[in-house]
Amino acid sequence: MDFELSDDIKEAVVKAKEFANKYFTEEVAEKSDFNEEFPTEIVAISKKEKVLDFSNPWKVLVTIEELVRRDPGLGISVTISAFGAEIFMFFGNDAQKEKYMNPVFAGKRTLGLGVTEAGGGSDVAGIKCEARLDGDSYVLNGGKMFISNGQIADHFLVLARTSPPPSPEKKHKGLSVFVVDSKSPGFAINKLHGKLGVRATNTAELIFDNVRVPKEDMVGEEGKGFYYIMTFFNISRIYVAAQGLGIAHGALDRLLEYSKKYAPVSETGELSENLQLAIAEIATRVEATRNITYKAASYLFKFTPNPIVTSMAKFYAAESAVFATKRAIELMSLHGLTSDLERFFRDAKILDIWEGTTEVEKLIITRMMLKEGGA
Amino acid sequence: MEEEYEILENTVKDFNAKYVENNSLKFENESMGKEFVKLLADQGFFSMMGQSGEGAADVKTLSVVLENLAKSVPAVAVKTLLANSFLSLVNDPKITEAVANGSKSGTVTFSDLLVGPGQNGSLLLSDGKIKGEKQFVFGSDSDFIVTLLDTGELVLLKSGFTAGKKLKRLGFRSIGFSAVSVNSSDYDVLSKEGRKVLEKLYDQLSIPVAAISLGMSEAVSQKGLDYAKVRTAFGHYLKDFQPLAFELTSLIAEMEILKRYFEGLISTSPSRKEAMFLKHKALALAKDISKTSLQIHGGYGYLEDFGIEKFYRDSMALSVLFHNEEHEMEDLSTLVFETKAGFV
């Protein structure tokens, strides 16, 4: 068992760090946050400089962690352009991969994923958006809510119901995934304003009013959309765990800096024990989050995903991010309140919600353990 | 609760319904506006505390008002707290009248008690002028500021100061928060032993600050209860799911116990220890209950339109602007152990 990263992964960490140091200035981060403005320029530069190397998922993982550690809003904005692309990778046909996936991985296009709806966040199978076959195309009606890249994506992967569920208990059947062009007639986008955090990211509501999607833009098989989305969540949750790891680590960085610069010390030069214990607890959580996230990633990247460990990583990382930012502000007092840590605190909370709430993750863990007998 | 407090509570509820609730986003994020501040002042809310220099200030009625103001917009409660704090220290009739009637505003800087020596800027009196810069001034958009000089005097700055760039705004966004540059010969020295006076006032704010926390907890828990009763997922109301129901219920149990304790304290003359107990637990509860209520609301809790996220931000901001964990736990531990404790 080797806990050391390989040299090329270490290089990705260094590259991400250098990129963040250069472009994630406090001025830009603050402006994006205050104005709820997507950092278009920085995202373009990141694509040009190939900050995200999709040829190696480990590199993607550590890049997310490192960029988010510097600033969550900017870090997530830079690393979310290909959100949902794994669905093409695993379930798309060659033509779809060529047309939609490759340009996204090449940094030429932006993708969005439309699953969540206004009436149901965690309850994916309960979606209401419908797709009806009409000649050579499907006609989509309904809406999607809280969609990342909502205003900036060129295409969306959209989950819609194509046939009624066979029974109320089998709502997950009869759902399909479609590629929807953002310029399609009948497709409207409303940007969501007033988010607590991750305000640099672009979030919107999508509305489909008789949007026509060619038959060939259905991904995979009709009726299997729920499985595709769940498979994707087992991937994306690991990247969300990396976001949590980055935020928690960022909070630790700031608390350590404060401790060296401002925290009162005893006559013998020691920090108060209260502060020392808090630092130790946050640092331990960061390390534990990293280990469980990397373990989940290790399963996934060998194509043997372990949903139990994935859900453990996702919820633990989210809780650690919320915990670390909260404790750091409490201990840093006015220094925390007036630094970028307050942004980290606001940003962290979304991790408890998106890509499966913390409660849902915990239920997945237990139910799968009872079913399969352990992690 | 005593009858007089119930009447007061209803008065504030009516005031909230009439003037605050429809403007909550504006009052929280932008500005309360002079007209609204005048309305607040007209209710007599700004001058409920009395003069702290004359012994124990009357924080009881103020606390009831703050608890109820905080239910709608915590920033309004905090604005009221700042005005009361200011008026408890200042005697100049022209100034007190102007602040009490809402035509002018005043604040008191507590940052000297919250951060270490030398971390809060420097203000010095020399040749009849006060010069320098004070960091972390909450209420820096006020017309008058009560603050400490490096040499320990508590002074009232009447003019000759300017607020700098606004500091980051986690909570109470409509209230100015910045450093203040001072070059003033227009001031009064309120006390030569300024730190002691400020510490005394800070102590007296324990119950009012707890009251704001409790008001926030009541409001945000109610939002959680209401939402959980109407929102469904997986074919059930959210209230039916144990993780959410148990968590919120447990926090509400804690809140109800604290409310009883609060009501008991304001009916008597609480000791410093009791007041600090209440503040310590009420601040923590407001943070916990805001987090849980936000979680119940899911993505909608993350949007300002649902009126949850402001409690999440404000509860944390309150616990930093009027509280320092280490300082206060040291004090509280010493009171509990009845000998110096918790300082290593």
Side-chain angles (χ1 to χ4, degrees), chain B residues 15-287:
Chain B
F15 181 81
N16 277 343
K18 203 167 173 186
Y19 302 111
V20 184
E21 274 153 21
N22 289 338
N23 294 300
S24 61
L25 277 179
K26 187 180 163 224
F27 289 173
E28 167 66 28
N29 291 331
E30 298 167 33
S31 157
M32 291 180 209
K34 287 202 164 183
E35 213 172 291
F36 173 72
V37 172
K38 191 89 176 53
L39 279 170
L40 261 178
D42 287 347
Q43 303 293 315
F45 292 162
F46 284 177
S47 47
M48 308 191 91
M49 196 166 160
Q51 287 279 305
S52 76
E54 296 167 359
D58 179 13
V59 297
K60 299 172 188 172
T61 49
L62 173 65
S63 297
V64 174
V65 168
L66 294 176
E67 180 198 1
N68 288 286
L69 284 175
K71 288 177 187 172
S72 287
V73 180
V76 172
V78 167
K79 176 94 179 163
T80 304
L81 180 67
L82 288 176
N84 274 278
S85 303
F86 179 85
L87 288 173
S88 76
L89 295 174
V90 175
N91 285 310
D92 185 325
K94 272 189 184 170
I95 292 174
T96 53
E97 191 188 332
V99 173
N101 71 26
S103 58
K104 297 280 183 185
S105 55
T107 193
V108 180
T109 66
F110 292 106
S111 47
D112 288 291
L113 309 180
L114 299 172
V115 296
Q119 296 173 19
N120 194 32
S122 170
L123 286 183
L124 287 167
L125 176 60
S126 172
D127 298 330
K129 273 199 161 191
I130 295 172
K131 286 186 182 175
E133 188 170 72
K134 183 68 91 180
Q135 302 293 322
F136 310 122
V137 178
F138 187 48
S140 59
D141 50 350
S142 301
D143 297 296
F144 308 108
I145 296 176
V146 171
T147 191
L148 268 185
L149 300 187
D150 294 7
T151 42
E153 296 92 343
L154 191 68
V155 294
L156 165 65
L157 298 171
K158 295 189 273 191
S159 66
F161 57 87
T162 49
K165 187 190 170 218
K166 275 195 171 185
L167 294 167
K168 293 185 195 307
R169 310 182 312 163
L170 179 63
F172 312 120
R173 289 171 170 170
S174 56
I175 298 173
F177 185 32
S178 67
V180 167
S181 298
V182 183
N183 185 356
S184 175
S185 49
D186 187 14
Y187 62 87
D188 290 337
V189 176
L190 301 178
S191 172
K192 294 278 183 195
E193 291 192 273
R195 197 172 181 94
K196 273 191 185 168
V197 174
L198 203 58
E199 282 173 348
K200 185 180 170 196
L201 172 61
Y202 183 79
D203 266 355
Q204 286 168 344
L205 296 187
S206 289
I207 290 182
V209 168
I212 295 174
S213 304
L214 282 174
M216 291 165 70
S217 296
E218 287 171 63
V220 82
S221 60
Q222 191 59 51
K223 282 176 182 287
L225 287 171
D226 293 345
Y227 192 74
K229 284 184 204 165
V230 297
R231 174 77 179 193
T232 57
F234 303 104
H236 290 276
Y237 290 109
L238 294 185
K239 71 174 176 60
D240 299 342
F241 294 103
Q242 285 187 342
L244 298 182
F246 288 7
E247 176 75 11
L248 189 58
T249 299
S250 174
L251 288 167
I252 288 174
E254 199 180 323
M255 181 181 80
E256 290 300 330
I257 291 164
L258 280 181
K259 270 179 67 183
R260 287 293 179 97
Y261 189 62
F262 166 65
E263 286 164 10
L265 290 190
I266 61 170
S267 304
T268 58
S269 295
S271 67
R272 181 170 181 244
K273 183 171 75 177
E274 289 169 324
M276 288 179 75
F277 278 157
L278 179 67
K279 180 183 176 187
H280 173 62
K281 298 306 284 183
L283 281 169
L285 175 70
K287 287 183 276 190

Side-chain angles (χ1 to χ4, degrees), chain A residues 235-373:
Chain A
I235 299 167
S236 65
R237 282 170 182 161
I238 290 169
Y239 293 121
V240 173
Q243 294 168 0
L245 174 55
I247 292 179
H249 203 167
L252 177 64
D253 292 338
R254 283 148 183 82
L255 184 58
L256 285 170
E257 196 184 323
Y258 160 83
S259 302
K260 289 174 193 161
K261 209 169 167 184
Y262 296 117
V265 290
S266 68
E267 286 172 7
T268 55
E270 286 207 42
L271 294 172
S272 69
E273 291 198 349
N274 184 50
L275 181 55
Q276 289 187 52
L277 263 60
I279 291 170
E281 181 158 7
I282 294 172
T284 305
R285 274 181 177 256
V286 169
E287 196 56 32
T289 303
R290 179 170 292 113
N291 286 339
I292 197 168
T293 301
Y294 285 13
K295 184 174 181 183
S298 177
Y299 282 124
L300 176 71
F301 299 159
K302 287 177 189 162
F303 299 101
T304 53
N306 184 328
I308 295 173
V309 180
T310 298
S311 288
M312 286 175 174
K314 196 273 176 183
F315 103 71
Y316 190 74
E319 286 195 345
S320 295
V322 172
F323 172 83
T325 52
K326 174 178 179 278
R327 283 305 286 142
I329 291 192
E330 287 168 345
L331 290 158
M332 288 165 65
S333 182
L334 292 170
H335 294 290
L337 195 67
T338 56
S339 74
D340 61 358
L341 184 59
E342 72 84 29
R343 204 165 53 238
F344 277 64
F345 172 72
R346 289 185 285 111
D347 293 341
K349 190 70 193 84
I350 194 62
L351 304 187
D352 261 338
I353 298 168
W354 69 14
E355 301 300 289
T357 64
T358 292
E359 293 78 10
V360 165
E361 300 303 332
K362 289 177 181 176
L363 291 173
I364 291 171
I365 292 164
T366 306
R367 286 171 187 173
M368 293 200 75
M369 286 183 82
L370 291 171
K371 201 169 146 190
E372 294 175 11

